[in-house]
Amino acid sequence: MEEFLNKLPTSVSKTELLRILQEFQDKYGYLDNDFIHELSKKIGIQPGKIFGIASFYSQFRFKPSGKYIVNLCSGVACHINSSENLINVFTKLTGLKDGETSADGKITLELVPCLGGCANSPVVKVNDKYYTKVTKADLLKIIQELK
Amino acid sequence: MEFTITINNKKIKVSNNEKILDVLRRIGINIPTLCNVPGLSPTGACRLCVVELNDTNELVPSCSTPVRVGMNISTHSNKVINARRVIVNLLLSNHPDNCLYCDKRSYCELHQIAENLNITDRSFPGEPKKSKSDRSSPGILREMSKCILCGRCVRICEEMLGISAIDIVNRGKNIEIETIFKKGLFYSNCIHCGLCIKYCPTGAIIEKSYVQNLIDKLNNSEKEKVIVISNSTIADISNFYGIKKFTDCRNNIVGALKDIGFDKVFTLSPGNEIFIYENAVKILNHIKDKSNNTLIVTDCPAAKKYVKSELSELSPLLTSIPSPQQILAKFFKKSDDSNVFMTVVTPCVANKYEAVQSSNTTKGVPDIDIVISSNELLKLFNTYGIEFPYSRKQIPDNPSNSDTSAGPLFETKGGISETLIRELLYQNQKSYPKKLFEIKNDKNFIEFSFVLNNQQFKIASIHGISSLKEKVEDILSGKYLFVELRLCENACIDGCVQLRDDDPDKFKKIKKLILDYDETNNSDTASKNPFIKAYKNNNLKQK
Ligand code: SF4
Ligand code: SF4
Ligand code: FES
Ligand code: FES
């Protein structure tokens, strides 16, 4: 982390800040308390403010995530194609609610407002892999594979 | 540049950098505002302050719209009033409606605005917000279901203090005011100054109340019940009930508290006096040692926390004498299994935070059992049906019975400097001029020079974080012998949990009460209290 911070300039614009946060998350998985505080000292923006800015964007995580991040879409198109059922099934089978990670550290559930595949909704994404027109049976299979 | 505009059919002279709202306030036209905070940049978020531009029939927020040549404004047209009603109805649509149990009650701005707009029904049915609260701070309670997202607290904490302990987080319908990682104020960099309590228009941020706990203890505890009242509280109650003399009100309060069931009643003055005395000793030694550092003298827990966490380069300069409240706590509770139950009444939320710091606790129990605010003291009196002037007068218990006027003076703006220099001169040469420097001066930064032992010294009196930030270099360079530091711009007498009052000049009246007392009193520096003499001798013996 030190190395990461050393490279940064001492004053940054908001867009740059978002880029830095994104880069850190890509590298370390999530934005943790220590990082936000160290970053704050370096760039002179209060930690609470950094948290406020980051929390606006749903892509930022503040807790460690599992090996597999499962994105279930809760957007309008997916909702019409009963994504809510999928969400309920998922929660029933894994016990996970939005933002939670399984005890074995394998699976994190994150609901997202739209995955950009509305035409083939409902959409499910696991790490970088997309599944389209997902049925209940498909979802069961996906979960099986992850376990 | 000056020009005239038309407001409600009247010609009004304005200058071109004014916002419409500034003009309306200046000429006494009252319109509701929620997000606006005088002195901070307008955000135009709540839209309650809209006025109509008659030429285009357009509604614009007056707080953020500058005046323009030829403007013709209506402030209370039908269109304007209807727009305001819609906004307030929307704000109320998911409000929890448990106003009867809300501490803000008649002081709620939202309530007042709704009343003024004749809103008597819920016109947009919405699901009332579920309770979500942050109780982590010992002094501040945030109940976010009552939040209307005006953003005042966020801007105070960011723009006035530069702390940002709270911010707007999430977006869309999940938007809320939160601390970092949503863990609560106690776990953030909040300095517990309480300014957000003062500025929140609703009951979303209030002080945590301990009055009922106190009443329970009064009736059930076998211990000796001791209460210490800050002079700011006495002066505030004095002003509230129109009692002209500080000592009259003080004695009234003592009588009333004895009748309620307290065994001993003290003022904070002996604590202030020891604080002044100890700092004077420290400063005289500092001069003897020929140190060139500037010392920082403060009794303000919020200022101390701020310096330690945000300006750590200054923190070795703090004289680190415990605050007057804590000095008295150590004095009254000499042994661990003390038989004393101690209550402190203060104008300041940060004292509640200070009381639970590990250095101020014994075996995990705070040395001061309960801290209540001036505001809460008034509630206590109301519960017992007590009004002032009260029928019974009594002088406070020893050592408060021989208070000097340095005690109350200490709690005013510039009071640390004034009382400390008096004491330095008194300890050194037994004489001092009565009025040292323009304590009536209301600036947030005052520099002052004085002569001690033929040597000229400079000191500074600093109030508020922005003035402190500007002077960091000067302090580090050792320019001053000492600086007085307090976070509230008008010092303790204008603390965030003084009696609720709409009078913006209240602190001036309170100050006058105290200055009058000082002017007519000859016992006016810490060491003149015989108690300090005893304390001094005792200290010498111990050393
Ligand atoms: S108490 Fe002061 S520092 Fe804490 S959140 Fe409120 S305004 Fe900010
Ligand atoms: S907590 Fe109070 S001051 Fe802060 S945004 Fe909500 S209503 Fe406004
Ligand atoms: S709404 Fe689900 S992909 Fe767009
Ligand atoms: S007070 Fe002007 S928009 Fe809120």
Side-chain angles (χ1 to χ4, degrees):
Chain A
M1 183 165 88
E2 219 170 289
E3 204 186 312
F4 184 92
L5 288 164
N6 281 340
K7 284 189 308 199
L8 301 177
T10 46
S11 102
V12 300
S13 66
K14 194 176 153 196
T15 2
E16 270 175 292
L17 174 64
L18 290 175
R19 190 187 49 75
I20 294 168
L21 295 176
Q22 185 67 61
E23 226 174 84
F24 185 87
Q25 176 161 300
D26 287 349
K27 216 163 164 180
Y28 300 94
Y30 70 107
L31 308 175
D32 69 332
N33 194 32
D34 287 352
F35 169 66
I36 293 188
H37 280 88
E38 289 306 317
L39 178 66
S40 156
K41 276 186 210 149
K42 174 94 196 205
I43 62 175
I45 300 179
Q46 289 288 8
K49 194 84 215 159
I50 298 180
F51 178 73
I53 293 171
S55 70
F56 185 82
Y57 302 93
S58 53
Q59 83 250 36
F60 290 116
R61 276 189 298 278
F62 304 99
K63 280 187 274 194
S65 60
K67 190 165 165 215
Y68 302 105
I69 299 168
V70 178
N71 288 151
L72 296 184
C73 183
S74 59
V76 180
C78 291
H79 184 83
I80 291 170
N81 288 310
S82 43
S83 62
E84 212 170 298
N85 270 339
L86 294 183
I87 298 170
N88 287 339
V89 168
F90 192 93
T91 301
K92 219 179 210 161
L93 285 175
T94 60
L96 299 178
K97 283 193 218 105
D98 185 20
E100 290 179 352
T101 300
S102 58
D104 61 5
K106 267 197 176 155
I107 308 174
T108 299
L109 171 64
E110 276 176 11
L111 303 183
V112 284
C114 175
L115 279 165
C118 311
N120 297 312
S121 56
V123 181
V124 174
K125 182 177 164 226
V126 180
N127 289 353
D128 289 333
K129 196 165 168 204
Y130 285 83
Y131 301 83
T132 51
K133 298 201 174 162
V134 181
T135 62
K136 212 166 136 182
D138 295 337
L139 186 67
L140 291 178
K141 231 169 77 198
I142 296 172
I143 296 175
Q144 285 299 307
E145 280 166 26
L146 300 183
K147 278 195 167 166
Chain B
M1 192 181 77
E2 289 207 347
F3 51 88
T4 48
I5 62 172
T6 312
I7 299 177
N8 300 344
N9 296 323
K10 278 197 209 84
K11 298 262 179 265
I12 306 288
K13 243 202 201 107
V14 300
S15 61
N16 67 342
N17 50 13
E18 280 185 298
K19 301 278 191 293
I20 299 174
L21 182 64
D22 300 335
V23 179
L24 299 182
R25 293 243 159 102
R26 181 158 57 77
I27 61 177
I29 294 183
N30 219 341
I31 62 162
T33 58
L34 269 176
C35 65
N36 185 62
V37 184
L40 298 187
S41 54
T43 59
C46 77
R47 303 267 142 179
L48 205 60
C49 66
V50 285
V51 292
E52 183 170 1
L53 302 181
N54 292 334
D55 297 336
T56 54
N57 290 342
E58 193 190 345
L59 294 179
V60 295
S62 62
C63 68
S64 54
T65 311
V67 290
R68 274 192 314 268
V69 179
M71 256 182 181
N72 183 346
I73 296 167
S74 292
T75 61
H76 290 84
S77 65
N78 204 20
K79 189 169 176 182
V80 167
I81 289 175
N82 283 332
R84 287 186 194 141
R85 282 176 56 93
V86 170
I87 293 166
V88 174
N89 272 316
L90 282 170
L91 289 174
L92 291 175
S93 71
N94 59 1
H95 202 71
D97 282 6
N98 48 0
C99 303
L100 190 54
Y101 305 104
C102 178
D103 182 62
K104 205 78 171 207
R105 280 176 217 169
S106 51
Y107 292 90
C108 175
E109 287 178 44
L110 183 62
H111 204 141
Q112 193 62 56
I113 289 169
E115 191 179 323
N116 292 348
L117 289 168
N118 304 314
I119 292 169
T120 50
D121 272 321
R122 188 183 277 270
S123 55
F124 298 111
E127 185 74 12
K129 280 203 221 157
K130 289 210 186 71
S131 166
K132 181 174 185 243
S133 57
D134 168 8
R135 295 169 181 269
S136 63
S137 161
I140 304 162
L141 180 66
R142 299 190 316 127
E143 173 47 68
M144 286 300 107
S145 61
K146 295 177 188 166
C147 172
I148 53 168
L149 292 165
C150 69
R152 282 194 206 173
C153 56
V154 169
R155 280 185 299 137
I156 291 291
C157 198
E158 178 174 2
E159 292 181 36
M160 215 181 231
L161 304 171
I163 290 176
S164 286
I166 39 180
D167 198 10
I168 300 178
V169 309
N170 302 336
R171 64 171 156 181
K173 71 176 197 329
N174 294 327
I175 201 162
E176 56 185 348
I177 309 293
E178 261 301 351
T179 55
I180 184 163
F181 292 104
K182 308 186 186 178
K183 281 194 195 141
L185 285 176
F186 192 74
Y187 306 99
S188 73
N189 59 343
C190 168
I191 56 172
H192 306 268
C193 66
L195 276 179
C196 50
I197 296 179
K198 200 166 177 170
Y199 282 92
C200 179
T202 73
I205 311 184
I206 56 173
E207 62 171 317
K208 233 187 208 175
S209 174
Y210 297 87
V211 190
Q212 201 47 48
N213 307 33
L214 177 58
I215 293 176
D216 293 346
K217 281 286 175 199
L218 267 177
N219 292 312
N220 298 317
S221 170
E222 295 296 312
K223 293 189 171 181
E224 184 185 31
K225 287 148 216 117
V226 156
I227 186 165
V228 176
I229 314 152
S230 78
N231 296 291
S232 306
T233 304
I234 298 170
D236 199 9
I237 292 186
S238 192
N239 175 59
F240 186 82
Y241 283 102
I243 300 173
K244 295 263 156 15
K245 260 180 81 184
F246 177 82
T247 39
D248 283 349
C249 184
R250 181 193 70 186
N251 298 348
N252 263 305
I253 291 176
V254 175
L257 288 169
K258 291 252 163 121
D259 282 351
I260 289 177
F262 285 96
D263 300 305
K264 292 221 167 105
V265 182
F266 304 94
T267 64
L268 185 59
S269 288
N272 293 345
E273 287 158 352
I274 296 178
F275 182 90
I276 298 162
Y277 168 77
E278 292 278 12
N279 273 292
V281 171
K282 203 154 202 171
I283 289 169
L284 288 174
N285 284 333
H286 187 73
I287 297 175
K288 239 189 252 151
D289 296 346
K290 302 210 160 38
S291 310
N292 292 324
N293 291 341
T294 296
L295 294 173
I296 301 176
V297 183
T298 181
D299 60 330
C300 171
K304 283 187 214 164
K305 183 161 196 265
Y306 183 81
V307 167
K308 284 183 186 152
S309 62
E310 307 291 330
L311 293 171
S312 51
E313 66 270 36
L314 294 184
S315 92
L317 303 175
L318 292 165
T319 57
S320 59
I321 307 288
S323 74
Q325 290 84 350
Q326 292 301 331
I327 289 176
L328 289 186
K330 290 185 181 108
F331 184 77
F332 289 135
K333 293 201 161 181
K334 288 190 191 101
S335 62
D336 278 8
D337 51 350
S338 157
N339 190 38
V340 170
F341 182 83
M342 181 176 176
T343 304
V344 164
V345 190
T346 152
C348 169
V349 182
N351 283 139
K352 294 188 181 180
Y353 170 79
E354 180 183 51
V356 302
Q357 297 307 294
S358 55
S359 53
N360 301 329
T361 61
T362 308
K363 294 185 185 151
V365 181
D367 297 333
I368 300 177
D369 297 277
I370 286 191
V371 182
I372 62 167
S373 65
S374 307
N375 211 3
E376 290 177 276
L377 180 66
L378 192 69
K379 285 187 197 169
L380 181 75
F381 286 143
N382 288 341
T383 307
Y384 284 90
I386 287 171
E387 283 197 36
F388 293 96
Y390 189 61
S391 53
R392 180 173 169 200
K393 282 190 191 174
Q394 249 196 308
I395 26 185
D397 286 282
N398 180 18
S400 284
N401 56 351
S402 52
D403 279 0
T404 71
S405 61
L409 191 61
F410 173 81
E411 294 173 30
T412 61
K413 188 173 192 170
I416 296 182
S417 306
E418 180 95 37
T419 57
L420 192 49
I421 296 174
R422 262 187 206 175
E423 181 64 18
L424 285 169
L425 294 173
Y426 183 72
Q427 285 190 22
N428 198 58
Q429 65 217 38
K430 292 280 172 260
S431 71
Y432 50 88
K434 184 84 181 182
K435 249 186 242 153
L436 280 160
F437 73 105
E438 245 330 275
I439 195 173
K440 291 205 180 74
N441 185 330
D442 274 324
K443 294 210 184 79
N444 289 345
F445 173 77
I446 308 168
E447 243 177 14
F448 178 75
S449 305
F450 70 105
V451 178
L452 186 78
N453 272 343
N454 302 322
Q455 216 181 327
Q456 175 108 8
F457 292 103
K458 243 193 191 139
I459 63 108
S461 156
I462 299 177
H463 290 79
I465 283 185
S466 52
S467 342
L468 172 62
K469 277 191 187 153
E470 281 168 25
K471 299 295 165 188
V472 172
E473 290 304 311
D474 283 347
I475 296 174
L476 284 173
S477 76
K479 180 171 176 188
Y480 306 109
L481 175 61
F482 71 84
V483 297
E484 155 182 18
L485 176 63
R486 276 187 182 133
L487 203 128
C488 283
E489 298 202 344
N490 295 308
C492 314
I493 55 168
D494 197 30
C496 299
V497 283
Q498 284 282 59
L499 307 186
R500 290 160 172 165
D501 200 318
D502 295 333
D503 179 4
D505 286 334
K506 185 177 82 167
F507 71 94
K508 292 187 185 150
K509 295 173 190 155
I510 294 181
K511 190 167 174 180
K512 183 160 182 308
L513 267 161
I514 292 178
L515 290 183
D516 286 351
Y517 172 48
D518 182 53
E519 233 152 77
T520 53
N521 202 327
N522 275 327
S523 177
D524 56 3
T525 188
S527 286
K528 284 192 181 170
N529 188 344
F531 162 69
I532 298 289
K533 275 186 210 138
Y535 171 85
K536 198 157 54 178
N537 295 337
N538 202 14
N539 257 14
L540 285 178
K541 255 185 261 157
Q542 277 174 12
K543 270 172 198 162

